[in-house]
Amino acid sequence: MTDAPLLSVRGLRTVFDTRAGRVCAVDGVDVEVRRGECLGVVGESGSGKSVTFSSVMGLVRSPGRIEAGEILFDGRDLRRLSGREMRAVRGRDIAMTMQDALTALNPALTVGEQLAEVLEAHDVSLPRSRGARARRIREISAEMLGLVGIPSAESRLRQYPHEFSGGMRQRIMIAIALACRPKLLIADEPTTALDVTIQAQVLELITEIRAKLGMSVVLITHDLGVVAEHCDRVMVMYAGQVVEEGPVADVIVRPKHPYTRGLLGSIPRLALRGQPIRPIEGQVPDLIDLPPQCRFYSRCAERGPDCLRPIAMHDAGPLRRARCVRVEEGGQA
């Protein structure tokens, strides 16, 4: 097995032109996803998590555009691919589940029809004979529903999305994403709007299928608890930039960036029952015409004069990096 990462993104910059000005939603993001690993991507709403991986998928549409950066997947430069070549990669080699399964699934098509669309578009191993092809698609579709734990899969292929619960719809989204056995699954907030029990089931399902298929997973979430339980590494984003990354256990036990510490401090804990939750004060900065300084400056209790200049990512220990002057100075951020 090669040591080269499956996905390598360098200097990604994605902007949106609006009437108010240019919004830099992703600014100089570097990210690697290794083969077989699960990378957790964490941050508040608007931090650039989803836009980063929509850029990887080639799903950014006008008024948005990728202004700079390199996106290498399995040795291929995705930014150099034609629209047709990118459509062949999307769904077959890289798959993405969207945040809201109810709106992401087509309400006018049965679950079987939606699985069949993906297989027709990407599965080159299907028989050429129309009858044999239809039978094989139905077999694979039922197999995928069974893989994600939907009972009576054969009969349920004929049902529409509204006939399933929220948790079942999320499982169907995962089944569609996995239909062609992708090398990389990008799961964007896969537990949105689900109750706690169903959330746990969906996350366990992704972990089990990752192990069974040997694929890589990017888990986009705002929940560090989810990352702690299911991911190998974590990347923390804030205001369009990566502010910290490293092995999950190290980042959670010894966070280097004040924003990461703020996220951890705002998580309710049974051991601290009765103590108030410590929210991060202030607001995420407006991403239009940001000044060249630390983007967490206005919310950071540790800010100083050195923070009023551009801050680069710095080594913060074995396999660790953080965007903070305290790390640059060699101290504990």
Side-chain angles (χ1 to χ4, degrees), residues 301-324:
E302 305 167 38
R303 62 181 179 265
D306 287 349
C307 304
L308 291 171
R309 59 178 172 82
I311 311 297
M313 291 286 281
H314 298 279
D315 289 339
L319 305 176
R320 298 283 304 276
R321 295 199 309 153
R323 190 183 300 274
C324 184

Side-chain angles (χ1 to χ4, degrees), residues 109-189:
L109 297 178
T110 66
V111 167
E113 288 170 328
Q114 295 183 63
L115 275 159
E117 279 187 336
V118 177
L119 293 167
E120 286 278 10
H122 297 294
D123 195 333
V124 295
S125 67
L126 292 173
R128 295 196 176 190
S129 162
R130 181 177 296 180
R133 190 179 185 88
R135 285 192 297 273
R136 182 58 184 149
I137 285 175
R138 192 164 190 84
E139 287 172 4
I140 297 173
S141 298
E143 179 187 337
M144 295 312 302
L145 289 191
L147 182 67
V148 298
I150 294 180
S152 307
E154 181 73 28
S155 62
R156 303 209 77 175
L157 287 172
R158 297 188 290 271
Q159 293 183 305
Y160 290 86
H162 74 269
E163 298 180 78
F164 293 83
S165 67
M168 286 294 184
R169 284 195 294 266
Q170 197 65 56
R171 288 170 182 263
I172 291 165
M173 280 287 298
I174 295 169
I176 292 171
L178 298 178
C180 293
R181 302 293 202 275
K183 297 175 183 177
L184 173 63
L185 173 67
I186 300 170
D188 190 356
E189 298 279 8

Side-chain angles (χ1 to χ4, degrees), residues 88-107:
V89 170
R90 190 189 304 126
R92 184 185 65 192
D93 297 322
I94 312 175
M96 188 172 187
T97 64
M98 301 304 180
Q99 292 187 23
D100 188 347
L102 180 58
T103 57
L105 292 170
N106 189 331

Side-chain angles (χ1 to χ4, degrees), residues 29-248:
V29 165
D30 296 343
V31 57
E32 286 188 353
V33 181
R34 300 175 186 131
R35 298 169 194 274
E37 81 165 345
C38 183
L39 172 69
V41 183
V42 182
E44 294 171 87
S45 296
S47 62
K49 308 184 301 296
S50 296
V51 177
T52 295
F53 289 94
S54 292
S55 301
V56 169
M57 293 287 287
L59 295 175
V60 175
R61 297 290 180 261
S62 181
R65 69 180 186 281
I66 299 175
E67 193 172 68
E70 179 183 68
I71 303 172
L72 297 179
F73 177 76
D74 209 12
R76 303 174 72 189
D77 188 344
L78 298 187
R79 292 197 65 198
R80 294 182 179 274
L81 299 185
S82 67
R84 182 176 182 179
E85 290 171 327
M86 191 62 208
R87 283 192 295 274
V89 170
R90 190 189 304 126
R92 184 185 65 192
D93 297 322
I94 312 175
M96 188 172 187
T97 64
M98 301 304 180
Q99 292 187 23
D100 188 347
L102 180 58
T103 57
L105 292 170
N106 189 331
L109 297 178
T110 66
V111 167
E113 288 170 328
Q114 295 183 63
L115 275 159
E117 279 187 336
V118 177
L119 293 167
E120 286 278 10
H122 297 294
D123 195 333
V124 295
S125 67
L126 292 173
R128 295 196 176 190
S129 162
R130 181 177 296 180
R133 190 179 185 88
R135 285 192 297 273
R136 182 58 184 149
I137 285 175
R138 192 164 190 84
E139 287 172 4
I140 297 173
S141 298
E143 179 187 337
M144 295 312 302
L145 289 191
L147 182 67
V148 298
I150 294 180
S152 307
E154 181 73 28
S155 62
R156 303 209 77 175
L157 287 172
R158 297 188 290 271
Q159 293 183 305
Y160 290 86
H162 74 269
E163 298 180 78
F164 293 83
S165 67
M168 286 294 184
R169 284 195 294 266
Q170 197 65 56
R171 288 170 182 263
I172 291 165
M173 280 287 298
I174 295 169
I176 292 171
L178 298 178
C180 293
R181 302 293 202 275
K183 297 175 183 177
L184 173 63
L185 173 67
I186 300 170
D188 190 356
E189 298 279 8
T191 57
T192 297
L194 301 180
D195 65 49
V196 175
T197 303
I198 304 301
Q199 284 183 27
Q201 292 175 2
V202 168
L203 292 167
E204 284 298 330
L205 171 66
I206 292 173
T207 299
E208 290 169 11
I209 293 176
R210 169 194 161 208
K212 187 176 294 185
L213 301 183
M215 67 182 179
S216 302
V217 174
V218 171
L219 183 58
I220 301 173
T221 180
H222 60 275
D223 190 337
L224 269 170
V226 165
V227 168
E229 190 169 353
H230 296 279
C231 300
D232 303 307
R233 288 191 306 122
V234 61
M235 181 174 86
V236 183
M237 292 191 69
Y238 182 77
Q241 294 182 331
V242 178
V243 296
E244 184 163 358
E245 63 180 358
V248 167

